[in-house]
Amino acid sequence: MLSLSTLALGNTAEISTGDVRKNQAFDNIKASVAQALRIGNLNTNLEGSYDYKANKDFFNEVTATGSILSPSKDKKGNVVDDVSLDYEITHSLTGASTNVELTGSKDDTGFGVKADATNGKVSVNEVSLTRDVDAGDQSVQVTPSWLLQSKTARVKLMSKLSGGDKLEATVDYATDGGDITYEVSLDHNIASGRDVSATFGGDTLDVDYTDNNFEDGATWTASASVPTSDASNILDAAKLSLKRSWTW
């Protein structure tokens, strides 16, 4: 017997500006509407995403997320099978493409596969493994991956520092002779409801300041993008934008 039930989830919306230093007051509107579906024993979260730039008249993407396998326990609460497998399927209503991401874990090792299907052709884009290793007093999450289409080896490192900050680094190595690229980011909590993150990659420094206390029921984010290639022109070339997001 097939049973179907639904459970409403939180809906979100955000409005963002362009470069306010150039009086670009409006840039984009995004929103998402989510619904939890239960089909028999399978739970799926279905989300429709709206992006004014991508498709001002209707949703531009539909995403389904859920679990295929979850760790099982015996009657005493002991884990008897720690295998997990989750999925995320995103279909573009404007580009007629479908992206599929599978993530799972077994024996403290995570794995992931990313693929897409366009015009009936399926291609695997990325495969990855994830594991936590000890480096001195710190635990470091290491994620090596292989990007099949660009033939690029990627390594991601993430660690939570003793003060609560989160440090991430990504290094890409193109095996066909391309340049080695990198990106480093640091997330820092200033106070309750106030966070700042900085990301440096290539020749650009991006800084985001997020405030959940400025307005009840809304999150404000101020973002600065600063090119560092020309030290004599940093202030003039910097871009500043604002974003307000909320749920209902």
Side-chain angles (χ1 to χ4, degrees), residues 70-84 106-107:
S70 298
S72 58
K73 299 180 180 180
D74 58 21
K75 294 180 179 180
K76 296 182 179 180
N78 300 315
V79 176
V80 294
D81 186 355
D82 64 349
V83 177
S84 67
K106 170 65 176 176
D107 296 333

Side-chain angles (χ1 to χ4, degrees), residues 150-212:
S150 61
K151 298 181 180 179
T152 298
R154 171 176 292 172
V155 177
K156 291 184 178 180
L157 306 173
M158 191 276 286
S159 179
K160 290 187 177 180
L161 305 180
S162 57
D165 295 346
K166 184 174 72 172
L167 180 65
E168 294 187 52
T170 301
V171 180
D172 285 358
Y173 172 70
T175 57
D176 58 359
D179 294 334
I180 297 177
T181 60
Y182 65 91
E183 182 179 276
V184 179
S185 64
L186 177 66
D187 296 338
H188 174 68
N189 175 249
I190 301 174
S192 178
R194 295 185 175 93
D195 299 277
V196 63
S197 64
T199 301
F200 180 76
D203 59 358
T204 303
L205 174 64
D206 295 312
V207 180
D208 294 328
Y209 169 74
T210 303
D211 196 322
N212 292 305

Side-chain angles (χ1 to χ4, degrees), residues 64-197:
T65 58
S67 296
I68 300 175
L69 296 173
S70 298
S72 58
K73 299 180 180 180
D74 58 21
K75 294 180 179 180
K76 296 182 179 180
N78 300 315
V79 176
V80 294
D81 186 355
D82 64 349
V83 177
S84 67
L85 182 61
D86 301 326
Y87 65 87
E88 179 176 300
I89 303 172
T90 302
H91 178 69
S92 172
L93 301 177
T94 56
S97 63
T98 302
N99 298 318
V100 178
E101 181 174 358
L102 297 175
T103 57
S105 64
K106 170 65 176 176
D107 296 333
D108 298 325
T109 298
F111 57 87
V113 178
K114 294 182 181 180
D116 65 53
T118 305
N119 298 324
K121 182 180 179 180
V122 179
S123 60
V124 178
N125 298 323
E126 182 178 355
V127 292
S128 64
L129 293 174
T130 300
R131 192 171 180 88
D132 292 338
V133 298
D134 292 330
D137 296 332
Q138 299 291 334
S139 176
V140 180
Q141 185 182 83
V142 181
T143 305
S145 61
W146 174 249
L147 283 62
L148 283 75
Q149 306 305 316
S150 61
K151 298 181 180 179
T152 298
R154 171 176 292 172
V155 177
K156 291 184 178 180
L157 306 173
M158 191 276 286
S159 179
K160 290 187 177 180
L161 305 180
S162 57
D165 295 346
K166 184 174 72 172
L167 180 65
E168 294 187 52
T170 301
V171 180
D172 285 358
Y173 172 70
T175 57
D176 58 359
D179 294 334
I180 297 177
T181 60
Y182 65 91
E183 182 179 276
V184 179
S185 64
L186 177 66
D187 296 338
H188 174 68
N189 175 249
I190 301 174
S192 178
R194 295 185 175 93
D195 299 277
V196 63
S197 64

Side-chain angles (χ1 to χ4, degrees), residues 26-56:
F26 170 76
D27 181 64
N28 202 10
I29 296 175
K30 295 182 180 181
S32 65
V33 179
Q35 189 77 36
L37 302 178
R38 181 175 297 143
I39 304 175
N41 295 324
L42 181 64
N43 294 326
T44 297
N45 296 325
L46 189 64
E47 179 178 292
S49 300
Y50 174 82
D51 187 319
Y52 181 85
K53 281 187 173 181
N55 184 13
K56 66 179 182 180

